[in-house]
């Protein structure tokens, strides 16, 4: 039974005559009449009472009509779903991100996405491991990553989204916390540090170690922790200072004073598979461009790109 023939049955029932139904359907009356007779023959029962030109559904016709209207509505809804999904207006977008990401422009972009794309399911996955985030994008478990240190892989497209200072989150009781403005990188050698364990976030650990080498200091590691909240709690307790992205100052941890490190910055990038088939990836990137709350994405995987 073809969907279009179900549409013929509904049109005849709603208009009451073959003439009016054929006009609505842009068919000739003989063509419509033949289609109905063929359907009644296949079903083995009349679908309409014929009284002159007037046609009214039989009990069998009423039963078919009830189903036909549901089927036609579902078919129309399926077409609309396909159209919206193809345009990146419906579906699911899975984004993995680090804490520094959600504290920056990502939060505003997600709010805009929820407002402008109400039929899109946004699935968010927090991660503390840059390598893991890139791997999840490559393996197709996530559509996008917002991360500081993407993997170097030709299958990934990487766009820098924004840059921010590295900041030393100091115990407020320390003399270094009493000053104002930026600290020199050599301050990394003036205070014990609380860091991520290298096995949890090797790229972030190595990034901080590189800052110490650049400053010509040997870091004194006082403690390690697996979350930003614990690192800041350790700093507040006086164990040492945490080196984090400046955006974490929005957490306003009591007993901790943030001071940016001069000349030390970190970036957050948007990462996705070059061969992705999810149109929502392009839709989200377009949303970022249009939001006015972030800088234009800069291509880090192709230096010649604008």
């Amino acid at each position: 039974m073809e969907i279009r023939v179900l549409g013929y049955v509904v049109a005849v029932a709603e208009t009451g005559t073959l003439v009016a139904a054929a006009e609505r359907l842009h068919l000739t009356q003989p063509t419509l009449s033949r289609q109905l007779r063929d359907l009644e023959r296949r079903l083995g029962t009349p679908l309409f009472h014929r009284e002159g030109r007037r046609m009214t559904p039989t009990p069998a016709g009423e039963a078919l009509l009830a189903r036909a209207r549901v089927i036609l509505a579902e078919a129309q809804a399926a077409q609309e779903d396909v159209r919206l999904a193809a345009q990146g207006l419906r579906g699911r977008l899975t984004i993995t991100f680090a804490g520094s990401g959600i504290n920056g422009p990502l939060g505003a972009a997600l709010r805009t996405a929820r407002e402008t794309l109400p039929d899109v399911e946004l699935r968010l996955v927090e991660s503390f491991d840059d390598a893991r985030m890139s791997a999840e994008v490559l393996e197709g478990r996530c559509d996008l990553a917002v991360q500081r240190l993407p993997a170097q892989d030709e299958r990934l497209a990487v766009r820098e989204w924004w840059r921010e200072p590295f900041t030393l989150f100091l115990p407020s009781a320390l003399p270094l916390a009493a000053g104002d403005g930026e600290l020199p990188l050599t301050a990394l050698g003036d205070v014990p540090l609380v860091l991520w364990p290298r096995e949890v976030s090797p790229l972030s650990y190595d990034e901080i170690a590189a800052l110490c080498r650049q400053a010509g200091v040997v870091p004194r590691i006082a403690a390690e922790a697996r979350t930003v909240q614990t690192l800041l709690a350790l700093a507040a307790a006086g164990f040492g200072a945490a080196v984090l992205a400046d955006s974490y100052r929005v957490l306003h941890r009591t007993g901790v004073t943030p001071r940016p490190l001069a000349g030390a910055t970190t970036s957050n990038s948007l990462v996705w598979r070059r061969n992705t088939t999810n149109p929502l990836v392009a839709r989200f990137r377009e949303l970022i461009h249009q939001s006015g709350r972030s800088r234009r994405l800069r291509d880090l995987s192709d230096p010649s790109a604008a």
Side-chain angles (χ1 to χ4, degrees), residues 194-241:
V194 290
L195 302 177
W196 311 99
R198 193 174 188 283
E199 64 271 18
V200 171
S201 187
L203 296 179
S204 295
Y205 184 99
D206 291 347
E207 190 176 30
I208 294 170
L211 289 176
C212 292
R213 287 195 300 273
Q214 181 182 341
V217 301
V218 177
R220 291 176 288 149
I221 301 175
E224 294 181 337
R226 295 172 179 264
T227 69
V228 170
Q229 289 81 0
T230 305
L231 286 172
L232 293 177
L234 289 170
F239 280 81

mmCIF file of all heavy atoms in Angstrom, residues 194-241:
data_model
loop_
_atom_site.group_PDB
_atom_site.id
_atom_site.type_symbol
_atom_site.label_atom_id
_atom_site.label_comp_id
_atom_site.label_asym_id
_atom_site.label_seq_id
_atom_site.Cartn_x
_atom_site.Cartn_y
_atom_site.Cartn_z
ATOM 1 N N VAL A 194 51.345 23.064 43.575
ATOM 2 C CA VAL A 194 50.409 21.930 43.603
ATOM 3 C C VAL A 194 49.972 21.701 42.157
ATOM 4 O O VAL A 194 49.538 22.634 41.481
ATOM 5 C CB VAL A 194 49.207 22.201 44.537
ATOM 6 C CG1 VAL A 194 49.658 22.203 45.974
ATOM 7 C CG2 VAL A 194 48.503 23.517 44.209
ATOM 8 N N LEU A 195 50.124 20.476 41.685
ATOM 9 C CA LEU A 195 49.950 20.175 40.261
ATOM 10 C C LEU A 195 49.034 18.980 40.057
ATOM 11 O O LEU A 195 48.752 18.212 40.970
ATOM 12 C CB LEU A 195 51.310 19.858 39.613
ATOM 13 C CG LEU A 195 52.411 20.916 39.680
ATOM 14 C CD1 LEU A 195 53.674 20.347 39.041
ATOM 15 C CD2 LEU A 195 51.976 22.193 38.998
ATOM 16 N N TRP A 196 48.632 18.830 38.767
ATOM 17 C CA TRP A 196 47.979 17.589 38.360
ATOM 18 C C TRP A 196 48.996 16.443 38.425
ATOM 19 O O TRP A 196 50.168 16.644 38.118
ATOM 20 C CB TRP A 196 47.524 17.665 36.893
ATOM 21 C CG TRP A 196 46.770 18.879 36.498
ATOM 22 C CD1 TRP A 196 47.248 19.991 35.855
ATOM 23 C CD2 TRP A 196 45.373 19.110 36.663
ATOM 24 N NE1 TRP A 196 46.248 20.900 35.635
ATOM 25 C CE2 TRP A 196 45.076 20.380 36.121
ATOM 26 C CE3 TRP A 196 44.334 18.363 37.231
ATOM 27 C CZ2 TRP A 196 43.800 20.922 36.121
ATOM 28 C CZ3 TRP A 196 43.064 18.902 37.224
ATOM 29 C CH2 TRP A 196 42.801 20.157 36.687
ATOM 30 N N PRO A 197 48.587 15.223 38.756
ATOM 31 C CA PRO A 197 49.485 14.082 38.553
ATOM 32 C C PRO A 197 49.740 13.919 37.049
ATOM 33 O O PRO A 197 48.828 14.107 36.235
ATOM 34 C CB PRO A 197 48.695 12.896 39.105
ATOM 35 C CG PRO A 197 47.632 13.488 39.963
ATOM 36 C CD PRO A 197 47.308 14.828 39.371
ATOM 37 N N ARG A 198 50.948 13.597 36.690
ATOM 38 C CA ARG A 198 51.258 13.498 35.264
ATOM 39 C C ARG A 198 50.438 12.405 34.581
ATOM 40 O O ARG A 198 50.074 12.536 33.411
ATOM 41 C CB ARG A 198 52.746 13.222 35.048
ATOM 42 C CG ARG A 198 53.158 13.418 33.587
ATOM 43 C CD ARG A 198 54.654 13.283 33.361
ATOM 44 N NE ARG A 198 54.972 13.677 32.000
ATOM 45 C CZ ARG A 198 54.767 12.921 30.930
ATOM 46 N NH1 ARG A 198 54.266 11.692 31.083
ATOM 47 N NH2 ARG A 198 55.062 13.352 29.713
ATOM 48 N N GLU A 199 50.108 11.318 35.316
ATOM 49 C CA GLU A 199 49.343 10.239 34.683
ATOM 50 C C GLU A 199 47.899 10.652 34.396
ATOM 51 O O GLU A 199 47.224 10.045 33.560
ATOM 52 C CB GLU A 199 49.357 8.979 35.553
ATOM 53 C CG GLU A 199 48.677 9.118 36.915
ATOM 54 C CD GLU A 199 49.615 9.587 38.005
ATOM 55 O OE1 GLU A 199 50.693 10.133 37.662
ATOM 56 O OE2 GLU A 199 49.281 9.404 39.187
ATOM 57 N N VAL A 200 47.422 11.680 35.083
ATOM 58 C CA VAL A 200 46.053 12.162 34.848
ATOM 59 C C VAL A 200 46.001 13.095 33.650
ATOM 60 O O VAL A 200 45.118 12.990 32.797
ATOM 61 C CB VAL A 200 45.506 12.874 36.107
ATOM 62 C CG1 VAL A 200 44.169 13.567 35.816
ATOM 63 C CG2 VAL A 200 45.345 11.873 37.229
ATOM 64 N N SER A 201 46.934 14.038 33.582
ATOM 65 C CA SER A 201 46.944 15.011 32.480
ATOM 66 C C SER A 201 48.383 15.299 32.081
ATOM 67 O O SER A 201 48.952 16.328 32.440
ATOM 68 C CB SER A 201 46.225 16.293 32.913
ATOM 69 O OG SER A 201 46.084 17.182 31.825
ATOM 70 N N PRO A 202 48.993 14.381 31.329
ATOM 71 C CA PRO A 202 50.420 14.531 31.022
ATOM 72 C C PRO A 202 50.741 15.801 30.238
ATOM 73 O O PRO A 202 51.780 16.425 30.474
ATOM 74 C CB PRO A 202 50.746 13.273 30.213
ATOM 75 C CG PRO A 202 49.421 12.760 29.723
ATOM 76 C CD PRO A 202 48.435 13.148 30.755
ATOM 77 N N LEU A 203 49.873 16.195 29.314
ATOM 78 C CA LEU A 203 50.168 17.381 28.510
ATOM 79 C C LEU A 203 50.159 18.640 29.370
ATOM 80 O O LEU A 203 51.021 19.513 29.228
ATOM 81 C CB LEU A 203 49.158 17.502 27.362
ATOM 82 C CG LEU A 203 49.198 16.373 26.330
ATOM 83 C CD1 LEU A 203 48.134 16.581 25.262
ATOM 84 C CD2 LEU A 203 50.577 16.281 25.675
ATOM 85 N N SER A 204 49.182 18.756 30.279
ATOM 86 C CA SER A 204 49.125 19.922 31.159
ATOM 87 C C SER A 204 50.316 19.944 32.114
ATOM 88 O O SER A 204 50.911 20.999 32.371
ATOM 89 C CB SER A 204 47.822 19.917 31.957
ATOM 90 O OG SER A 204 46.717 20.075 31.101
ATOM 91 N N TYR A 205 50.653 18.787 32.652
ATOM 92 C CA TYR A 205 51.815 18.679 33.554
ATOM 93 C C TYR A 205 53.086 19.131 32.829
ATOM 94 O O TYR A 205 53.868 19.929 33.351
ATOM 95 C CB TYR A 205 51.945 17.241 34.039
ATOM 96 C CG TYR A 205 53.041 17.004 35.051
ATOM 97 C CD1 TYR A 205 52.746 16.936 36.408
ATOM 98 C CD2 TYR A 205 54.374 16.840 34.660
ATOM 99 C CE1 TYR A 205 53.754 16.709 37.351
ATOM 100 C CE2 TYR A 205 55.378 16.620 35.582
ATOM 101 C CZ TYR A 205 55.056 16.555 36.924
ATOM 102 O OH TYR A 205 56.063 16.332 37.849
ATOM 103 N N ASP A 206 53.264 18.632 31.599
ATOM 104 C CA ASP A 206 54.464 18.974 30.838
ATOM 105 C C ASP A 206 54.479 20.448 30.456
ATOM 106 O O ASP A 206 55.558 21.067 30.351
ATOM 107 C CB ASP A 206 54.551 18.111 29.579
ATOM 108 C CG ASP A 206 54.838 16.651 29.896
ATOM 109 O OD1 ASP A 206 55.202 16.357 31.053
ATOM 110 O OD2 ASP A 206 54.678 15.809 28.997
ATOM 111 N N GLU A 207 53.303 21.041 30.244
ATOM 112 C CA GLU A 207 53.227 22.455 29.897
ATOM 113 C C GLU A 207 53.737 23.315 31.055
ATOM 114 O O GLU A 207 54.485 24.278 30.851
ATOM 115 C CB GLU A 207 51.786 22.826 29.548
ATOM 116 C CG GLU A 207 51.617 24.205 28.942
ATOM 117 C CD GLU A 207 50.187 24.475 28.528
ATOM 118 O OE1 GLU A 207 49.259 23.926 29.162
ATOM 119 O OE2 GLU A 207 49.983 25.244 27.575
ATOM 120 N N ILE A 208 53.363 22.958 32.275
ATOM 121 C CA ILE A 208 53.826 23.701 33.445
ATOM 122 C C ILE A 208 55.325 23.473 33.664
ATOM 123 O O ILE A 208 56.074 24.402 33.995
ATOM 124 C CB ILE A 208 53.013 23.298 34.681
ATOM 125 C CG1 ILE A 208 51.553 23.735 34.508
ATOM 126 C CG2 ILE A 208 53.601 23.923 35.948
ATOM 127 C CD1 ILE A 208 50.617 23.187 35.559
ATOM 128 N N ALA A 209 55.772 22.241 33.447
ATOM 129 C CA ALA A 209 57.206 21.956 33.568
ATOM 130 C C ALA A 209 58.004 22.782 32.562
ATOM 131 O O ALA A 209 59.104 23.272 32.874
ATOM 132 C CB ALA A 209 57.460 20.468 33.353
ATOM 133 N N ALA A 210 57.442 22.977 31.352
ATOM 134 C CA ALA A 210 58.127 23.780 30.340
ATOM 135 C C ALA A 210 58.224 25.245 30.765
ATOM 136 O O ALA A 210 59.230 25.915 30.490
ATOM 137 C CB ALA A 210 57.389 23.672 29.010
ATOM 138 N N LEU A 211 57.196 25.760 31.441
ATOM 139 C CA LEU A 211 57.248 27.130 31.949
ATOM 140 C C LEU A 211 58.371 27.271 32.975
ATOM 141 O O LEU A 211 59.083 28.287 32.993
ATOM 142 C CB LEU A 211 55.912 27.520 32.580
ATOM 143 C CG LEU A 211 54.725 27.743 31.640
ATOM 144 C CD1 LEU A 211 53.459 28.023 32.445
ATOM 145 C CD2 LEU A 211 55.000 28.904 30.686
ATOM 146 N N CYS A 212 58.519 26.265 33.831
ATOM 147 C CA CYS A 212 59.600 26.303 34.817
ATOM 148 C C CYS A 212 60.966 26.287 34.146
ATOM 149 O O CYS A 212 61.881 27.031 34.533
ATOM 150 C CB CYS A 212 59.466 25.135 35.790
ATOM 151 S SG CYS A 212 58.019 25.237 36.885
ATOM 152 N N ARG A 213 61.116 25.457 33.114
ATOM 153 C CA ARG A 213 62.391 25.422 32.394
ATOM 154 C C ARG A 213 62.663 26.767 31.734
ATOM 155 O O ARG A 213 63.795 27.255 31.729
ATOM 156 C CB ARG A 213 62.378 24.304 31.350
ATOM 157 C CG ARG A 213 62.479 22.912 31.939
ATOM 158 C CD ARG A 213 62.831 21.883 30.870
ATOM 159 N NE ARG A 213 61.828 21.830 29.800
ATOM 160 C CZ ARG A 213 60.740 21.076 29.848
ATOM 161 N NH1 ARG A 213 60.495 20.301 30.900
ATOM 162 N NH2 ARG A 213 59.887 21.070 28.845
ATOM 163 N N GLN A 214 61.620 27.359 31.163
ATOM 164 C CA GLN A 214 61.776 28.670 30.523
ATOM 165 C C GLN A 214 62.230 29.718 31.528
ATOM 166 O O GLN A 214 63.017 30.610 31.201
ATOM 167 C CB GLN A 214 60.439 29.083 29.897
ATOM 168 C CG GLN A 214 60.470 30.415 29.168
ATOM 169 C CD GLN A 214 59.097 30.778 28.606
ATOM 170 O OE1 GLN A 214 58.224 29.936 28.441
ATOM 171 N NE2 GLN A 214 58.903 32.056 28.306
ATOM 172 N N ALA A 215 61.729 29.612 32.761
ATOM 173 C CA ALA A 215 62.103 30.564 33.806
ATOM 174 C C ALA A 215 63.450 30.228 34.436
ATOM 175 O O ALA A 215 63.987 31.024 35.214
ATOM 176 C CB ALA A 215 61.026 30.594 34.884
ATOM 177 N N GLY A 216 63.983 29.042 34.122
ATOM 178 C CA GLY A 216 65.255 28.623 34.698
ATOM 179 C C GLY A 216 65.149 28.230 36.151
ATOM 180 O O GLY A 216 66.101 28.415 36.922
ATOM 181 N N VAL A 217 63.994 27.684 36.548
ATOM 182 C CA VAL A 217 63.810 27.279 37.948
ATOM 183 C C VAL A 217 63.471 25.789 38.007
ATOM 184 O O VAL A 217 62.955 25.212 37.051
ATOM 185 C CB VAL A 217 62.683 28.101 38.625
ATOM 186 C CG1 VAL A 217 63.006 29.589 38.571
ATOM 187 C CG2 VAL A 217 61.331 27.827 37.993
ATOM 188 N N VAL A 218 63.782 25.200 39.132
ATOM 189 C CA VAL A 218 63.417 23.815 39.394
ATOM 190 C C VAL A 218 62.177 23.820 40.273
ATOM 191 O O VAL A 218 62.214 24.355 41.392
ATOM 192 C CB VAL A 218 64.561 23.056 40.080
ATOM 193 C CG1 VAL A 218 64.125 21.630 40.415
ATOM 194 C CG2 VAL A 218 65.799 23.055 39.196
ATOM 195 N N PRO A 219 61.047 23.277 39.803
ATOM 196 C CA PRO A 219 59.811 23.358 40.588
ATOM 197 C C PRO A 219 59.891 22.487 41.843
ATOM 198 O O PRO A 219 60.469 21.400 41.833
ATOM 199 C CB PRO A 219 58.739 22.839 39.629
ATOM 200 C CG PRO A 219 59.480 21.955 38.677
ATOM 201 C CD PRO A 219 60.840 22.583 38.520
ATOM 202 N N ARG A 220 59.298 22.978 42.915
ATOM 203 C CA ARG A 220 59.150 22.199 44.145
ATOM 204 C C ARG A 220 57.682 21.760 44.223
ATOM 205 O O ARG A 220 56.789 22.596 44.436
ATOM 206 C CB ARG A 220 59.515 23.037 45.366
ATOM 207 C CG ARG A 220 60.991 23.372 45.469
ATOM 208 C CD ARG A 220 61.243 24.298 46.665
ATOM 209 N NE ARG A 220 60.736 25.644 46.411
ATOM 210 C CZ ARG A 220 60.271 26.449 47.355
ATOM 211 N NH1 ARG A 220 60.232 26.030 48.627
ATOM 212 N NH2 ARG A 220 59.859 27.671 47.064
ATOM 213 N N ILE A 221 57.444 20.490 44.031
ATOM 214 C CA ILE A 221 56.065 19.993 44.007
ATOM 215 C C ILE A 221 55.661 19.582 45.414
ATOM 216 O O ILE A 221 56.198 18.628 45.983
ATOM 217 C CB ILE A 221 55.929 18.814 43.022
ATOM 218 C CG1 ILE A 221 56.329 19.271 41.617
ATOM 219 C CG2 ILE A 221 54.499 18.273 43.032
ATOM 220 C CD1 ILE A 221 56.341 18.173 40.579
ATOM 221 N N ALA A 222 54.682 20.312 45.955
ATOM 222 C CA ALA A 222 54.263 20.068 47.330
ATOM 223 C C ALA A 222 53.147 19.042 47.426
ATOM 224 O O ALA A 222 53.047 18.310 48.409
ATOM 225 C CB ALA A 222 53.799 21.381 47.969
ATOM 226 N N ALA A 223 52.291 18.986 46.411
ATOM 227 C CA ALA A 223 51.149 18.068 46.449
ATOM 228 C C ALA A 223 50.576 17.950 45.045
ATOM 229 O O ALA A 223 50.845 18.784 44.170
ATOM 230 C CB ALA A 223 50.073 18.558 47.425
ATOM 231 N N GLU A 224 49.802 16.903 44.829
ATOM 232 C CA GLU A 224 49.130 16.685 43.555
ATOM 233 C C GLU A 224 47.636 16.480 43.803
ATOM 234 O O GLU A 224 47.235 16.017 44.875
ATOM 235 C CB GLU A 224 49.712 15.472 42.828
ATOM 236 C CG GLU A 224 51.165 15.651 42.395
ATOM 237 C CD GLU A 224 51.699 14.437 41.652
ATOM 238 O OE1 GLU A 224 51.140 13.331 41.852
ATOM 239 O OE2 GLU A 224 52.656 14.594 40.868
ATOM 240 N N ALA A 225 46.827 16.833 42.808
ATOM 241 C CA ALA A 225 45.374 16.665 42.930
ATOM 242 C C ALA A 225 44.786 16.451 41.543
ATOM 243 O O ALA A 225 45.362 16.865 40.536
ATOM 244 C CB ALA A 225 44.745 17.878 43.598
ATOM 245 N N ARG A 226 43.622 15.823 41.514
ATOM 246 C CA ARG A 226 43.011 15.431 40.250
ATOM 247 C C ARG A 226 41.885 16.352 39.786
ATOM 248 O O ARG A 226 41.307 16.122 38.737
ATOM 249 C CB ARG A 226 42.480 13.994 40.349
ATOM 250 C CG ARG A 226 43.576 12.959 40.547
ATOM 251 C CD ARG A 226 43.046 11.573 40.839
ATOM 252 N NE ARG A 226 44.142 10.630 40.985
ATOM 253 C CZ ARG A 226 44.581 9.857 39.992
ATOM 254 N NH1 ARG A 226 44.019 9.903 38.812
ATOM 255 N NH2 ARG A 226 45.594 9.024 40.202
ATOM 256 N N THR A 227 41.534 17.356 40.569
ATOM 257 C CA THR A 227 40.505 18.308 40.156
ATOM 258 C C THR A 227 40.966 19.722 40.479
ATOM 259 O O THR A 227 41.793 19.932 41.377
ATOM 260 C CB THR A 227 39.161 18.056 40.867
ATOM 261 O OG1 THR A 227 39.286 18.379 42.250
ATOM 262 C CG2 THR A 227 38.708 16.617 40.706
ATOM 263 N N VAL A 228 40.416 20.685 39.759
ATOM 264 C CA VAL A 228 40.742 22.089 40.017
ATOM 265 C C VAL A 228 40.312 22.482 41.426
ATOM 266 O O VAL A 228 41.035 23.183 42.140
ATOM 267 C CB VAL A 228 40.056 22.992 38.974
ATOM 268 C CG1 VAL A 228 40.186 24.463 39.358
ATOM 269 C CG2 VAL A 228 40.666 22.760 37.605
ATOM 270 N N GLN A 229 39.134 22.023 41.834
ATOM 271 C CA GLN A 229 38.646 22.380 43.174
ATOM 272 C C GLN A 229 39.617 21.930 44.256
ATOM 273 O O GLN A 229 39.868 22.655 45.229
ATOM 274 C CB GLN A 229 37.264 21.755 43.407
ATOM 275 C CG GLN A 229 36.148 22.386 42.604
ATOM 276 C CD GLN A 229 36.097 21.876 41.167
ATOM 277 O OE1 GLN A 229 36.904 21.030 40.757
ATOM 278 N NE2 GLN A 229 35.134 22.371 40.407
ATOM 279 N N THR A 230 40.195 20.733 44.094
ATOM 280 C CA THR A 230 41.142 20.237 45.093
ATOM 281 C C THR A 230 42.458 21.003 45.028
ATOM 282 O O THR A 230 43.057 21.303 46.075
ATOM 283 C CB THR A 230 41.385 18.728 44.900
ATOM 284 O OG1 THR A 230 40.130 18.044 44.929
ATOM 285 C CG2 THR A 230 42.277 18.182 45.997
ATOM 286 N N LEU A 231 42.918 21.337 43.830
ATOM 287 C CA LEU A 231 44.133 22.136 43.713
ATOM 288 C C LEU A 231 43.974 23.475 44.435
ATOM 289 O O LEU A 231 44.855 23.914 45.180
ATOM 290 C CB LEU A 231 44.455 22.385 42.236
ATOM 291 C CG LEU A 231 45.011 21.199 41.441
ATOM 292 C CD1 LEU A 231 45.092 21.547 39.959
ATOM 293 C CD2 LEU A 231 46.395 20.797 41.960
ATOM 294 N N LEU A 232 42.826 24.121 44.227
ATOM 295 C CA LEU A 232 42.590 25.406 44.879
ATOM 296 C C LEU A 232 42.427 25.235 46.394
ATOM 297 O O LEU A 232 42.850 26.103 47.175
ATOM 298 C CB LEU A 232 41.356 26.076 44.277
ATOM 299 C CG LEU A 232 41.502 26.517 42.813
ATOM 300 C CD1 LEU A 232 40.191 27.100 42.292
ATOM 301 C CD2 LEU A 232 42.634 27.533 42.661
ATOM 302 N N ALA A 233 41.821 24.124 46.805
ATOM 303 C CA ALA A 233 41.687 23.864 48.243
ATOM 304 C C ALA A 233 43.058 23.673 48.881
ATOM 305 O O ALA A 233 43.314 24.153 50.002
ATOM 306 C CB ALA A 233 40.813 22.638 48.477
ATOM 307 N N LEU A 234 43.957 22.990 48.183
ATOM 308 C CA LEU A 234 45.311 22.806 48.696
ATOM 309 C C LEU A 234 46.050 24.146 48.777
ATOM 310 O O LEU A 234 46.794 24.404 49.727
ATOM 311 C CB LEU A 234 46.079 21.834 47.807
ATOM 312 C CG LEU A 234 45.644 20.363 47.893
ATOM 313 C CD1 LEU A 234 46.315 19.549 46.794
ATOM 314 C CD2 LEU A 234 45.984 19.792 49.274
ATOM 315 N N ALA A 235 45.818 25.007 47.765
ATOM 316 C CA ALA A 235 46.431 26.340 47.799
ATOM 317 C C ALA A 235 45.891 27.136 48.984
ATOM 318 O O ALA A 235 46.656 27.794 49.711
ATOM 319 C CB ALA A 235 46.163 27.069 46.492
ATOM 320 N N ALA A 236 44.578 27.069 49.199
ATOM 321 C CA ALA A 236 43.973 27.795 50.321
ATOM 322 C C ALA A 236 44.504 27.286 51.654
ATOM 323 O O ALA A 236 44.612 28.057 52.624
ATOM 324 C CB ALA A 236 42.456 27.662 50.263
ATOM 325 N N ALA A 237 44.844 26.003 51.709
ATOM 326 C CA ALA A 237 45.371 25.416 52.943
ATOM 327 C C ALA A 237 46.853 25.695 53.140
ATOM 328 O O ALA A 237 47.438 25.278 54.142
ATOM 329 C CB ALA A 237 45.129 23.913 52.944
ATOM 330 N N GLY A 238 47.463 26.372 52.148
ATOM 331 C CA GLY A 238 48.854 26.775 52.312
ATOM 332 C C GLY A 238 49.883 25.800 51.787
ATOM 333 O O GLY A 238 51.086 26.005 52.006
ATOM 334 N N PHE A 239 49.457 24.744 51.097
ATOM 335 C CA PHE A 239 50.427 23.772 50.584
ATOM 336 C C PHE A 239 51.316 24.377 49.497
ATOM 337 O O PHE A 239 52.481 24.038 49.378
ATOM 338 C CB PHE A 239 49.704 22.547 50.024
ATOM 339 C CG PHE A 239 49.266 21.578 51.084
ATOM 340 C CD1 PHE A 239 48.103 21.806 51.802
ATOM 341 C CD2 PHE A 239 50.019 20.460 51.374
ATOM 342 C CE1 PHE A 239 47.691 20.927 52.790
ATOM 343 C CE2 PHE A 239 49.617 19.567 52.351
ATOM 344 C CZ PHE A 239 48.450 19.801 53.075
ATOM 345 N N GLY A 240 50.752 25.230 48.654
ATOM 346 C CA GLY A 240 51.506 25.816 47.559
ATOM 347 C C GLY A 240 50.577 26.497 46.576
ATOM 348 O O GLY A 240 49.374 26.635 46.833
ATOM 349 N N ALA A 241 51.152 26.917 45.468
ATOM 350 C CA ALA A 241 50.392 27.647 44.452
ATOM 351 C C ALA A 241 50.057 26.725 43.282
ATOM 352 O O ALA A 241 50.843 25.842 42.924
ATOM 353 C CB ALA A 241 51.181 28.853 43.969
#
